[in-house]
Amino acid sequence: MGSDVSTYVLLSHQAALRRQLDVTANNMANSSTVGFKREQEVFREHVERVRRAPIEDAKRLSFVLDYGQVHDSRAGAFQATGHPLDVMIDGPGYLSVEDASGATAYTRAGFITLLTNGELGTPSGAPLLDENGRHIAVSPEEQGSLAIAGDGTVSTSAGPIARLAVTQFDEMRVNERGDGLLTGAGGRLLPAAETRLRSGGVEGSNVQPIIETTNMIEVLRAYQRTSEAAANIDTLRKLAISRLAKPD
C-alpha cells in the first residue's frame, strides 16, 4: 500500500456513498410503482494492514466495499382495483411470467388480464406461468366465470384449470431488469398451503418517500464531509511538500 493511503480510503467511502445515493434515488422514483420493493445497499468492511505507519493503530486500514443490495421484503399496502383477476401476494414470493425471449422472469405487480389468445398474462403481454412452468389458457366459453383463489388456483365454472406459480427467493438473489420485471436464482416454488393471494387489488410500493428523502439528505451531507476531508488532506500534503522543498 502506498503512502497516499488516506486518499484511497476516502475514495472508497465516496464511491459507496454515490452508490447509496443512486439506490435511494431509484427508490424515490418508484414510490408509486405497483409491487416495487424498496432496495437497500449492502456494504462490507475490508481491512488491510500496512507495514509502516506513524503509529500502530494506523497500520489497520478500513475500506468500504460495495457488496450488493437487498430488497425490503415488507409488503406494500393493498390497493383495490375493482378487477377480480388482480391479485396481491400477501406474503413472500413473486409471480412467474415468460418474457419476450422465452425466459422466466418475476414480478410482484399483480395486474392480471386475459390476452387476445385467451391466456392469462400481464398488461404488457407477458404470459403468466403455472406451477409447472406452462401458460394458463382459458377457453372462450369459460372466461366469464374465471376466478383466482387465495392459494393461486385458477378456476372457472368447469373447475380448476391451473395454479399460479409463486416463487420465493433469498432477496439477495433477486435483481431488477429495468423493464418492470426481475430475475431470480435459487428460488423455491411455494406449495398451495404456503401461497396467500388477495384478489381484487394489487400491492403498492413499500417505499416511504419521507424516509428516502431523509436518507438522501444524510448521504449528501456525508459526501460533503468526505469531500472536505479530502480537500484538507490535499492542503496538508501541498503544505508539507512546499516546506520540504525549501532549503535549510
Side-chain angles (χ1 to χ4, degrees):
M1 180 68 66
S3 59
D4 196 18
V5 67
S6 57
T7 300
Y8 292 110
V9 173
L10 290 173
L11 282 175
S12 75
H13 189 216
Q14 286 184 321
L17 289 171
R18 174 61 185 271
R19 178 60 180 152
Q20 190 174 357
L21 183 63
D22 290 342
V23 171
T24 302
N26 184 60
N27 286 339
M28 293 184 66
N30 286 281
S31 60
S32 300
T33 301
V34 169
F36 182 83
K37 294 295 187 183
R38 176 182 179 271
E39 296 178 329
Q40 184 172 347
E41 195 67 14
V42 177
F43 298 109
R44 281 192 173 180
E45 180 186 36
H46 173 72
V47 179
E48 184 168 334
R49 296 191 65 84
V50 296
R51 296 179 179 178
R52 292 179 297 175
I55 58 176
E56 184 64 26
D57 288 346
K59 291 182 178 181
R60 184 179 182 274
L61 303 175
S62 177
F63 293 87
V64 181
L65 297 182
D66 184 353
Y67 185 68
Q69 59 198 51
V70 295
H71 291 86
D72 184 347
S73 60
R74 289 176 295 182
F78 180 77
Q79 297 180 353
T81 62
H83 187 244
L85 294 184
D86 289 342
V87 296
M88 169 182 169
I89 301 176
D90 188 11
Y94 295 83
L95 297 173
S96 300
V97 302
E98 183 177 279
D99 66 13
S101 69
T104 301
Y106 303 93
T107 181
R108 289 277 299 191
F111 291 117
I112 297 179
T113 187
L114 274 168
L115 305 179
T116 55
N117 61 0
E119 295 178 351
L120 291 185
T122 68
S124 63
L128 280 163
L129 300 177
D130 68 9
E131 57 189 342
N132 297 309
R134 298 177 298 201
H135 295 192
I136 303 172
V138 185
S139 61
E141 60 272 14
E142 298 294 339
Q143 291 178 4
S145 62
L146 189 62
I148 300 176
D151 65 355
T153 299
V154 180
S155 61
T156 67
S157 58
I161 59 176
R163 197 174 75 86
L164 293 173
V166 178
T167 306
Q168 181 179 5
F169 294 93
D170 177 342
E171 292 300 327
M172 280 291 290
R173 309 190 74 180
V174 179
N175 297 292
E176 298 282 346
R177 296 186 359 161
D179 59 356
L181 298 176
L182 302 101
T183 58
R188 181 176 72 92
L189 185 66
L190 296 181
E194 297 182 34
T195 301
R196 301 192 305 274
L197 300 182
R198 185 176 176 183
S199 300
V202 293
E203 178 187 17
S205 170
N206 68 355
V207 173
Q208 299 182 51
I210 294 178
I211 292 178
E212 299 304 323
T213 300
T214 302
N215 290 341
M216 183 171 288
I217 293 173
E218 291 177 351
V219 170
L220 290 172
R221 287 176 176 171
Y223 194 92
Q224 183 179 17
R225 290 193 296 268
T226 303
S227 298
E228 291 173 351
N232 291 336
I233 290 173
D234 187 56
T235 299
L236 291 173
R237 184 183 299 112
K238 290 178 180 178
L239 180 61
I241 292 174
S242 65
R243 289 182 175 179
L244 290 173
K246 292 181 180 179
D248 295 335

